[in-house]
Amino acid sequence: MSTAKPPEGPPASVLIDQRIADLNDWRGQALSRMRQLIHEAAPEVLEEWKWNGTPVWSLGGILCTGESYKSAVKLTFLKGASLPDPAKLFNASLDGNARRAIDIHEGDTVDAEAFKALIRAAVALNAGGAKAKAKSARGARTAS
């Protein structure tokens, strides 16, 4: 039984809708399009609202976040360094050991199929990590 207190306030999907509406420019359009692609690639994705106002998409762990700045919409993949990116969509946060990001600027178009492939790869990576954790936990229990 979970002892976690349910979040107060509107659901994350409503807050994300509001963020998109509040942007009211190309950034809102870009964030809306990327959100749609995320849902197409992973229909069972969970939308969350974290860190005082950041849209987050999760499935078996965080897939990516969607931040908006004055001159860019940034989609940060927490495990991006471990994902195949043959279309070279990642164009920011390239120096870290884990994260990779896609910065979208006004007028940019992100390849929809390549982006959906990144989302599916992130889902698979999270699923593989969950299986590995479960397997190692079972091994630890049988070893004791």
Side-chain angles (χ1 to χ4, degrees), residues 1-116:
M1 179 167 73
S2 173
T3 58
K5 187 175 153 188
E8 295 178 18
S13 61
V14 170
L15 295 169
I16 296 169
D17 288 342
Q18 188 61 53
R19 168 65 50 82
I20 289 167
D22 288 347
L23 288 169
N24 195 28
D25 61 12
W26 67 268
R27 296 171 301 160
Q29 294 168 0
L31 187 57
S32 178
R33 176 175 183 258
M34 302 318 289
R35 178 190 197 190
Q36 178 183 345
L37 294 175
I38 291 166
H39 281 275
E40 288 174 13
E44 52 289 329
V45 72
L46 172 66
E47 292 190 320
E48 300 176 279
W49 189 256
K50 296 185 177 216
W51 308 298
N52 296 319
T54 302
V56 176
W57 292 274
S58 299
L59 187 57
I62 293 175
L63 302 174
C64 68
T65 64
E67 300 130 298
S68 50
Y69 299 98
K70 187 175 181 176
S71 65
V73 170
K74 180 183 283 290
L75 296 158
T76 302
F77 287 71
L78 270 57
K79 299 177 184 175
S82 299
L83 299 176
D85 181 23
K88 306 248 185 269
L89 294 182
F90 290 131
N91 61 6
S93 305
L94 301 175
D95 296 332
N97 292 330
R99 292 186 180 121
R100 293 289 182 270
I102 301 169
D103 280 0
I104 304 168
H105 298 93
E106 188 170 9
D108 287 354
T109 302
V110 176
D111 180 308
E113 292 308 313
F115 181 75
K116 289 193 287 188

